[in-house]
Amino acid sequence: MYSSRLAIGGKACLRSAPACIAKAQRPSTPGCIHRLAAGSRKGAKRLFHTTRVSRAEDFYDILGVKRGASQSEIKKAYYQLAKKYHPDANKEAGAKDRFIKIQEAYDTLSDESKRKSYDQFGTADPTGGMGGGPGAGFSGFGNMEDILSQMFGGGMGGMGGRGRGGGFMSVGEDIDASVTISFMEAVNGARKSVTITPVVKCEPCGGQGARKGARRQTCKTCRGTGQAMFQMGGFHVQQPCPECSGEGSTISAKDRCSSCQGRGRVRERKSVQVDIPPGCDNGMRVKLQGMGDVPLEGEGPSGDLYVRVRVMPSKVFRRKGSDIYYDVELPFTTAILGGSVQVPTVDGDVEVKISPGVQPGDELRLRAKGVRKLQSSLRGDQYLNLKVRLPKSLTAEQQRLIEQFAALASGAPPPSKAAEAPGEAAGEAAGEGSSEKSGGFFSRIKRDFEKFKHDK
């Protein structure tokens, strides 16, 4: 690659020298190197040379992947090349240098921040270049066994110790169970019994698999190490011994424990108590640490027990998170005149005041009357959805009062006197003065509504 910009004193000219000088013999950029060359001596020629810019081999080319390759593709390519050029496996000349480049390329491209810097600046360190050329910052070849163990999920170079006799560490499996509780038990919390069948150590043999008085024998295949060697592509790789399953010891058929058949593990049916916290909702899981299976082999912590909670729906309330909803049916007279009603809550019945003129579908809120929030002392709210209940049939007196109210509300003339009950007109005329004194027509309508409520 050749540089295309020439500059002196911080000024650069992007034209080629012949084009720059040929344009009216005046270079386009004052003080550019072309002008200095042209004005030196008439007819004299000044020779310039350009510098070849060296560029390190591209990391993507080294690994044989495209620039948009995923991390899994980069890792796969690295492992293949590492097996081929690792100095422990390849004694050819140049294999060592090739492996250094492969390692350096992988160290950069496997790190997203370094890869981003490399893609933008051509180096993982934009402030200091590549740090001294190929192999800079390389900390060593590493162990070929470590590379292979990464390729095979950590099962190649040892299992953290030997088996039952050597402290082999592993973790037991988690187990699941379920429990059903009522709506109110979910609100207030409860203690429930759950039956499980986890894997446990055999009590007669203490998890050793041998009958009482018998002893386990050192495995003849692995000689007690719990590891066996095998070849793969010219490499010696370790894996758990197939004879003793990585335990380092075996037991003869006649010395096996009769309870577990020499496995050292059995399933045990037992009941455990589960504390359901207040506010638990349907589908939540409660974790009981260490109540799962013990490791099938070796020593280590037991798994956990996860209890899924199923909450039965309530016949009274509806729940959304920590809030509770309840439908309140009001007589239409209460909706018009106001009053009070008894409504149930999770804490018991309470009296709620209804303002006059409420509408169907209006919603009232009772603060802190909902469900307790998990891991908190706060509670949700209870919402009352108002529904107005209308009568299906009316008496003659109720019918008359409703018609009078409808006529008054619409501004139409009241029903004719002929439609009134016999003697009512005379009685109304006789008591007209006293009626007006007692509050007028509106007071009488209200009293009639109160009487209507009482009759119901």
Side-chain angles (χ1 to χ4, degrees):
M1 178 182 291
Y2 296 91
S3 58
S4 58
R5 295 172 63 95
L6 299 174
I8 287 183
K11 298 180 180 179
C13 179
L14 299 180
R15 296 177 178 271
S16 62
C20 182
I21 298 174
K23 188 173 182 180
Q25 298 297 322
R26 298 180 61 186
S28 58
T29 304
C32 75
I33 198 166
H34 300 143
R35 180 172 181 177
L36 296 176
S40 57
R41 274 198 301 265
K42 188 174 181 180
K45 293 184 179 180
R46 176 74 63 89
L47 299 177
F48 301 95
H49 72 277
T50 56
T51 304
R52 181 180 297 275
V53 179
S54 61
R55 181 180 177 89
E57 190 174 354
D58 186 80
F59 285 164
Y60 292 98
D61 293 339
I62 292 175
L63 296 181
V65 297
K66 297 180 180 179
R67 299 192 73 84
S70 63
Q71 284 296 331
S72 60
E73 293 173 335
I74 292 174
K75 178 182 279 189
K76 182 178 179 180
Y78 164 69
Y79 286 150
Q80 292 176 346
L81 294 173
K83 288 192 299 180
K84 182 178 180 180
Y85 291 101
H86 195 281
D88 292 348
N90 194 328
K91 303 301 181 180
E92 296 180 1
K96 177 180 176 180
D97 294 337
R98 185 63 179 171
F99 182 80
I100 292 176
K101 293 181 179 180
I102 293 169
Q103 186 69 44
E104 183 182 14
Y106 178 71
D107 289 343
T108 299
L109 300 185
S110 62
D111 187 304
E112 289 296 343
S113 60
K114 292 182 179 180
R115 182 180 181 181
K116 183 177 180 181
S117 178
Y118 178 79
D119 291 342
Q120 184 175 0
F121 302 105
T123 172
D125 181 13
T127 61
M130 298 302 295
F138 180 62
S139 58
F141 299 119
N143 195 321
M144 189 60 187
E145 185 177 283
D146 296 335
I147 298 175
L148 294 177
S149 66
Q150 295 180 51
M151 295 169 59
F152 293 95
M156 307 301 294
M159 298 291 289
R162 296 187 303 193
R164 289 190 175 96
F168 167 53
M169 296 297 294
S170 60
V171 180
E173 294 289 334
D174 297 332
I175 60 176
D176 296 301
S178 62
V179 64
T180 301
I181 61 176
S182 67
F183 181 87
M184 291 305 300
E185 285 176 328
V187 172
N188 300 318
R191 170 169 286 191
K192 290 291 184 178
S193 177
V194 178
T195 300
I196 57 175
T197 55
V199 175
V200 299
K201 289 184 178 180
C202 177
E203 288 189 7
C205 66
Q208 296 300 313
R211 63 177 175 81
K212 189 174 182 179
R215 298 182 60 183
R216 300 181 65 91
Q217 304 297 322
T218 301
C219 177
K220 296 180 180 180
T221 302
C222 65
R223 298 180 182 180
T225 64
Q227 302 294 317
M229 300 291 293
F230 73 99
Q231 285 191 339
M232 187 191 72
F235 302 111
H236 292 280
V237 183
Q238 282 185 337
Q239 71 169 7
C241 176
E243 182 68 22
C244 64
S245 300
E247 297 178 5
S249 61
T250 60
I251 186 170
S252 62
K254 63 183 181 66
D255 290 334
R256 291 175 183 172
C257 173
S258 59
S259 298
C260 63
Q261 303 302 317
R263 290 187 292 268
R265 304 290 187 268
V266 294
R267 285 199 176 274
E268 181 182 63
R269 185 180 182 87
K270 61 180 180 179
S271 296
V272 296
Q273 298 296 317
V274 183
D275 291 324
I276 309 297
C280 187
D281 207 349
N282 186 52
M284 288 185 175
R285 296 199 306 172
V286 179
K287 176 183 176 182
L288 279 71
Q289 189 171 2
M291 298 297 293
D293 293 343
V294 299
L296 294 179
E297 297 174 350
E299 300 293 333
S302 299
D304 300 325
L305 168 62
Y306 290 91
V307 180
R308 186 174 297 276
V309 180
R310 180 174 179 265
V311 180
M312 298 294 291
S314 172
K315 296 181 179 179
V316 179
F317 304 106
R318 300 187 309 278
R319 178 180 176 181
K320 293 182 180 178
S322 59
D323 295 328
I324 289 178
Y325 294 79
Y326 176 74
D327 294 334
V328 179
E329 287 193 355
L330 298 175
F332 81 101
T333 52
T334 305
I336 295 173
L337 303 175
S340 60
V341 292
Q342 290 282 334
V343 297
T345 70
V346 295
D347 301 320
D349 292 349
V350 296
E351 187 173 295
V352 177
K353 183 178 180 181
I354 305 298
S355 301
V358 295
Q359 301 297 314
D362 283 356
E363 197 172 66
L364 305 180
R365 181 171 67 172
L366 305 180
R367 295 183 181 274
K369 288 295 183 181
V371 181
R372 179 178 170 182
K373 299 180 180 180
L374 287 174
Q375 300 179 347
S376 173
S377 59
L378 301 178
R379 294 179 59 175
D381 302 325
Q382 179 169 334
Y383 292 88
L384 306 178
N385 183 31
L386 302 184
K387 295 185 176 181
V388 178
R389 184 177 67 249
L390 300 176
K392 295 183 179 180
S393 61
L394 299 173
T395 65
E397 179 67 13
Q398 294 169 347
Q399 179 76 22
R400 184 183 65 81
L401 292 174
I402 293 297
E403 289 176 351
Q404 288 184 0
F405 177 78
L408 185 64
S410 63
S416 63
K417 298 293 183 180
E420 297 178 354
E424 186 174 328
E428 186 174 320
E432 183 176 353
S434 61
S435 176
E436 290 178 356
K437 291 179 182 179
S438 62
F441 179 76
F442 282 106
S443 297
R444 182 157 51 88
I445 288 292
K446 185 172 182 179
R447 288 197 302 273
D448 290 339
F449 269 119
E450 295 291 346
K451 181 182 178 182
F452 174 72
K453 290 169 57 180
H454 179 73
D455 293 342
K456 292 192 63 182

